[in-house]
Amino acid sequence: MTNWDIANILLQTKLLLLLRGEKELAAKYENAAYTIGILDYPANDKGIAFLPQIIQSDIQEILNTGNCEAKETLEKEIPKSLRGIANLPGMRAPDAIKLYEKLQIDSINDLKRAVSSCEIKEKKEFGIRFEEQLRRSLIEYERDFKELTLFEGYTYAKSIMMFLNKDFTIKLAGSVRRGKELVNNIDFVVAGDKEKFKKILNELISIKKTGKENQNFVSIKDKYNIILNFYFVPHEYFYSALIYFTGSKIYSKILNEIGKVKGFNISKEGYLLIEGQDEKQIFEKLGMQYTPPEIREGGEEIDLAISNSLPELIDEKDIKGDLHIHSNFSDGTNSIREIKNEASFKNYTFIAITDHSQSLKIARGVSKEKLLKEFEIIDKINMDGDEPVLLKGIEAEINMDGTLDVEMDLEKKFDIIIGALHAFSKTNYENTERVKKAIESGLINVIAHPTGRIIHVREAMPLNFDEISKAASKNRVTLEINLFPNRIDLSSGLVKEARRNGLKYFSIGTDAHNTGHLNFMEYGIKILRRSWVKREELINTFELKELREFLWNRKH
Ligand SMILES: [Zn+2]
Ligand SMILES: [Zn+2]
């Protein structure tokens, strides 16, 4: 039983609780799932003492029996067909309930019929966008493999490796290691006895079927329809093989050409037969600079590595704080004190509390009165004098006319103001003008999740990104790289585009709605490196004083 399995059972329980309308308890389960998912060690009774008692006992039960009573009881109450619909990729629990109540859709077959006869878009409460989303969900559901977000791929891989690295040399490779936003499989390179490995793996995870297999390779599909590939290699060539199985196809092909010219042979599996203690040594033998895995795509990084001129990319230790966090003042579930306590384990110097502004009713946006109360609490916690320092922030709605939903007489009190669109206009022109006006207002520091896309749910809004990034660059407004796993917004392609348009500064935030979400920073570093982000480009790497000066650049 891996941490991934435990996290999945907790997330299932969360979904069932949501279907029953128990939001608060559901949030506790979600929080725990994201905390377990990212742990560096196998969950056991001693290792989870920081979780709520009720969840600790559930986890103990899961470890002993493979399931928990809380989940089983809920399953008995909620019809299986509704659970099936709620489990579709990108489906939100309230929408599943609405489909069930308003259209009596209670099975996937019903849903397929309704979508293909286009009857959902006719209903006012659903509309055409929702029908399109359902169509995408069904396509995703029909696939014979599960497409994973990077966060899922990363945490699953981590949860497997922690059980196997005692007996084997095992490392993550492929697209998850490169930090691709969506992945179809998880690849590992392993040195050690294959049969012994398979035996341990079989005890560890539920295998649905074994796919392709030969002497040095095995591919399996687990019970979640996730494909795991294991490449077995001799110890002496481990790191050369790791480079080969990590790079994109084109990258590895070019490296093989370079290796051949240097006189190295190639194994029948395709990797160069070069011995080395780590990847750096292999790169040296190829006459190249060590290249971070996230940029091994087969582009300019190869020439740069040969000429020893790769830029120094950002590192996890460079990140000094998280700049997008919600507390229970708006739609988050934890108190500011709880957020601070959790963040204090992360070596941060600062974090920004950025609750929703009041017009966003759906997310319990905060009124002026509540904001003042929130500031009071932040000041009080900051008096403790320890790190991280809490910054007073807000995620302000950009209204339809491009004005901002911020109480102007409070404006001076904010350390950071994030502007965001949660309801889009219909046309590219309207969205672009709204965002541009907000940027040019001089009132905001950051545009949150600039394109608004949600993976498996909705596409980016129509937007002229060139104009937005140029305006941001001119007004010293940063564009956010939002690390919520189904957002990753900006994507690495758009970070590069913004940079080409002259944008010098970006910011990142987990968009945490509970303390478990603060852990998204760990995999987020991959997204940053994949976008070739350098330390000086990211305001989260600034010293607090420098950051305050940067943010105070707003008009007052
Ligand atoms: Zn938002
Ligand atoms: Zn947010």
Side-chain angles (χ1 to χ4, degrees), residues 143-385:
R143 284 191 193 173
D144 64 347
F145 63 90
K146 185 170 152 58
E147 189 176 50
L148 299 172
T149 61
L150 178 60
F151 179 76
E152 291 172 314
Y154 175 78
T155 48
Y156 190 15
K158 192 170 157 174
S159 80
I160 292 179
M161 289 192 296
M162 68 175 71
F163 281 96
L164 293 155
N165 58 16
K166 285 181 250 45
D167 299 313
F168 304 89
T169 308
I170 175 167
K171 294 251 187 256
L172 177 62
S175 47
V176 180
R177 186 164 183 237
R178 294 206 308 284
K180 267 186 87 174
E181 291 162 11
L182 282 170
V183 293
N184 296 334
N185 49 47
I186 311 179
D187 298 345
F188 300 87
V189 175
V190 186
D193 181 69
K194 183 175 152 233
E195 290 313 312
K196 186 177 161 202
F197 183 90
K198 271 172 61 186
K199 194 168 165 280
I200 299 179
L201 190 69
N202 217 342
E203 286 159 15
L204 187 63
I205 63 176
S206 277
I207 297 175
K208 189 166 159 189
K209 83 174 204 217
T210 301
K212 211 176 136 203
E213 181 170 3
N214 62 39
Q215 202 189 346
N216 299 316
F217 174 73
V218 62
S219 176
I220 62 153
K221 193 186 272 179
D222 75 0
K223 68 169 178 189
Y224 308 102
N225 261 359
I226 297 168
I227 298 169
L228 305 168
N229 295 325
F230 299 92
Y231 297 92
F232 294 85
V233 304
H235 280 282
E236 60 270 36
Y237 301 124
F238 185 86
Y239 287 100
S240 182
L242 182 61
I243 292 175
Y244 180 78
F245 291 118
T246 296
S248 72
K249 272 206 177 77
I250 173 100
Y251 181 87
S252 297
K253 202 171 154 211
I254 298 172
L255 252 64
N256 277 5
E257 293 304 318
I258 296 172
K260 270 198 266 178
V261 173
K262 298 235 174 238
F264 294 107
N265 291 322
I266 290 177
S267 74
K268 72 176 192 317
E269 284 78 18
Y271 53 85
L272 287 160
L273 297 170
I274 307 178
E275 293 185 27
Q277 298 297 311
D278 54 26
E279 284 187 330
K280 195 161 171 271
Q281 284 190 1
I282 310 292
F283 278 110
E284 267 165 23
K285 289 184 179 174
L286 289 170
M288 293 170 78
Q289 203 179 350
Y290 171 80
T291 308
E294 294 85 355
I295 62 168
R296 297 181 198 165
E297 289 294 330
E300 57 178 335
E301 77 281 3
I302 296 181
D303 283 341
L304 290 172
I306 291 170
S307 60
N308 206 20
S309 43
L310 276 174
E312 200 177 317
L313 300 184
I314 198 158
D315 200 37
E316 208 180 333
K317 63 177 187 324
D318 294 326
I319 310 282
K320 297 207 166 65
D322 188 337
L323 290 175
H324 189 158
I325 300 171
H326 297 272
S327 77
N328 57 4
F329 268 87
S330 64
D331 59 346
T333 47
N334 290 99
S335 68
I336 298 177
R337 172 61 77 181
E338 287 166 336
I339 293 168
K340 151 102 188 214
N341 288 348
E342 183 65 30
S344 65
F345 292 107
K346 296 199 182 299
N347 267 328
Y348 287 159
T349 359
F350 52 81
I351 54 169
I353 306 294
T354 55
D355 279 309
H356 291 286
S357 65
Q358 56 183 330
S359 69
L360 197 65
K361 297 277 184 298
I362 189 170
R364 299 202 309 267
V366 282
S367 63
K368 185 177 170 186
E369 255 168 35
K370 270 174 89 183
L371 261 178
L372 287 170
K373 180 83 198 141
E374 188 166 19
F375 289 170
E376 219 175 274
I377 292 176
I378 290 177
D379 283 335
K380 206 167 148 211
I381 296 177
N382 278 341
M383 292 229 290
D384 293 352

Side-chain angles (χ1 to χ4, degrees), residues 417-455:
I417 298 184
I418 297 179
L421 243 68
H422 292 98
F424 310 151
S425 299
K426 284 207 176 66
T427 66
N428 182 314
Y429 178 78
E430 284 170 310
N431 285 322
T432 307
E433 287 306 302
R434 269 169 84 186
V435 178
K436 242 172 73 184
K437 199 168 162 201
I439 290 174
E440 286 163 358
S441 71
L443 292 171
I444 58 168
N445 304 112
V446 176
I447 294 283
H449 41 74
T451 78
R453 70 115 174 228
I454 297 184
I455 295 169

Side-chain angles (χ1 to χ4, degrees), residues 407-420:
E407 292 284 349
M408 284 314 292
D409 49 334
L410 291 186
E411 194 272 332
K412 278 197 179 60
K413 292 189 192 290
F414 287 112
D415 297 306
I416 178 168
I417 298 184
I418 297 179

